[in-house]
Amino acid sequence: MISDRTSGRRRLGYPVAAGVFAIGMAGTTLPTPLYGLYREQLGFSELMVTVVFAVYALGVITVLLLAGNFSDEVGRRPVLFCALGLSASSALCFVFEGGLPMLLLGRVLSGFAAGLFSGAATAAVLELAKPGQEAQAGFAATAANMGGLGCGPLLSGLLAQYAPWPLTLPFLVHLALVGVAAVATWRLPETVEHPHRPRNLQPQRLRLPPEVRGVFTPSAVAAFAGFSLLGLFTAVAPSFVGQTLGVHNLAIAGLIVFTVFLGSTAGQSLTERIGVRRALPGGCLVLVVGLLLVATSLAVSSLPVLVIGAVCGGIGQGLAFRAGLTAVGHAAPPERRGGTISAFFLVAYLGISLPVVGVGALTLVLGLRGAGLTFSACVIVLAVTVGLYVLRRPPTADA
């Protein structure tokens, strides 16, 4: 509930919170098209690219475990300010990058920021919605997340290819956007009714409210499968495009990664009309089709098939992701919504990190194409299993 002293800022509403969310998440994927340049400059392997990426996911998971429910206690705005500060610190690490340690530090800080954004910003967007705007706010929250992640590589790819200072300018632009987001956050109302200082910092116990248990498992496992696809594209796809397909234009690499997130946003827009009960299994089915297309593109070295697979897989991921997040967010009681959403994202980010590191390790043995094919097969099996499970046991808020 919004307090009287901040109700005058209500006019900003959930779209502004969604914009702050999108800016924060865009910063987490800015380095995606640039890994090839860093690899040439610093001389590390494809495995190290995935390790650098996984360090980011480790940062996300750490924050979700330690502070995933902090916004339920201290309020949404303080946590958003902290996340923006971490995002700015990460950008500065890349601006003054002097080797692999700074890259790793920048990615860890970026992961910390994403972990804070995931729970606090999603809850803020949902809670700033006026009566009757719940569906629009649910879409805004998930679209800001996926849209922001997609805009990061698109922005950095365009700037790196067509503007000066390819390894610096993208992060300077993002610093400016973070400044805009900080001003917007200052103008947002606080949605936690009685914020207070937390008693101590300790690992968050993933004890879900009873109201959520019936929807959480199928929703979170579907998110795990979908985020595995996102991890493949953000960590490995640019390398595949450059090394296997011979396309070295960074803007194109960024655009290809953007397509999977664009597909995700499109899938999210369809979730409401399809309904949560059908969107979860349907999203898993479409995700499988997308993965089959991605695997085909790896086998025959086809850029068009890769793009089609990215869009199709993104649509499936978006359908399942929004359906799951909506079900979990609506089932959670307001006083535990931030922590519950953070637990949902914890499972999702396990999907974006663990399989990708496996792909990086497999590249040393099987090469980039063989590792990608193995990864695709594993995620297809997982998505089929989840899809069949939610068909037999659709998520219900009271199960």
Side-chain angles (χ1 to χ4, degrees):
M1 182 181 296
I2 299 175
S3 61
D4 292 338
R5 68 184 177 85
T6 58
S7 60
R9 292 185 248 181
R10 179 66 181 257
R11 65 185 183 275
L12 293 180
Y14 74 87
V16 176
V20 172
F21 194 5
I23 289 173
M25 298 310 292
T28 67
T29 51
L30 276 178
T32 296
L34 310 178
Y35 285 137
L37 298 179
Y38 286 122
R39 191 170 57 246
E40 293 175 4
Q41 177 178 304
L42 302 177
F44 51 75
S45 66
E46 190 63 40
L47 174 60
M48 185 55 65
V49 171
T50 59
V51 169
V52 170
F53 178 82
V55 163
Y56 154 77
L58 180 62
V60 178
I61 293 168
T62 300
V63 167
L64 291 175
L65 284 172
L66 290 176
N69 60 348
F70 261 31
S71 72
D72 292 331
E73 300 182 33
V74 304
R76 312 301 183 203
R77 292 173 68 236
V79 174
L80 290 178
F81 277 124
C82 183
L84 289 169
L86 289 167
S87 187
S89 300
S90 171
L92 289 172
C93 287
F94 283 93
V95 168
F96 298 106
E97 177 270 319
L100 186 58
M102 287 296 284
L103 287 184
L104 293 171
L105 176 60
R107 293 305 286 158
V108 169
L109 292 174
S110 184
F112 290 165
L116 292 178
F117 275 121
S118 296
T122 300
V125 173
L126 295 175
E127 292 164 353
L128 283 169
K130 297 178 182 179
Q133 292 182 330
E134 292 85 358
Q136 298 95 311
F139 173 65
T142 53
N145 193 340
M146 294 297 109
L149 289 169
C151 287
L154 181 63
L155 173 64
S156 61
L158 288 169
L159 291 176
Q161 186 65 38
Y162 300 114
W165 315 315
L167 294 180
T168 303
L169 186 59
F171 301 99
L172 293 176
V173 171
H174 187 251
L175 280 171
L177 292 174
V178 167
V180 173
V183 174
T185 301
W186 180 258
R187 297 291 301 159
L188 285 173
E190 179 55 67
T191 58
V192 174
E193 189 171 5
H194 300 294
H196 60 274
R197 179 178 296 180
R199 289 181 293 274
N200 50 32
L201 181 68
Q202 60 184 0
Q204 179 187 210
R205 294 184 178 182
L206 297 181
R207 291 182 178 176
L208 299 172
E211 305 94 318
V212 180
R213 292 171 185 169
V215 304
F216 187 85
T217 298
S219 300
V221 177
F224 180 97
F227 269 60
S228 296
L229 174 69
L230 300 184
L232 177 69
F233 270 85
T234 50
V236 178
S239 297
F240 174 76
V241 169
Q243 297 176 26
T244 304
L245 302 181
V247 178
H248 301 287
N249 187 299
L250 297 179
I252 293 177
L255 181 61
I256 291 171
V257 177
F258 173 75
T259 57
V260 71
F261 292 101
L262 179 64
S264 175
T265 304
Q268 293 166 36
S269 70
L270 300 173
T271 302
E272 183 183 356
R273 66 183 66 178
I274 294 174
V276 171
R277 290 173 66 92
R278 289 184 293 177
L280 261 176
C284 291
L285 174 62
V286 178
L287 177 62
V288 168
V289 174
L291 286 163
L292 288 171
L293 289 170
V294 170
T296 301
S297 73
L298 296 174
V300 302
S301 300
S302 171
L303 181 59
V305 176
L306 178 65
V307 173
I308 296 172
V311 173
C312 185
I315 290 173
Q317 186 274 338
L319 280 169
F321 174 68
R322 186 186 174 193
L325 183 58
T326 299
V328 170
H330 286 173
E335 67 275 10
R336 298 184 66 180
R337 183 171 290 130
T340 302
I341 292 173
S342 293
F344 176 84
F345 277 103
L346 171 63
V347 178
Y349 274 96
L350 286 173
I352 210 173
S353 57
L354 298 179
V356 168
V357 175
V359 170
L362 284 174
T363 57
L364 301 179
V365 180
L366 303 178
L368 201 54
R369 178 184 282 108
L373 289 170
T374 303
F375 169 89
S376 299
C378 293
V379 180
I380 285 171
V381 171
L382 178 62
V384 168
T385 303
V386 175
L388 292 175
Y389 175 82
V390 295
L391 273 174
R392 294 182 60 186
R393 299 185 61 182
T396 56
D398 55 358

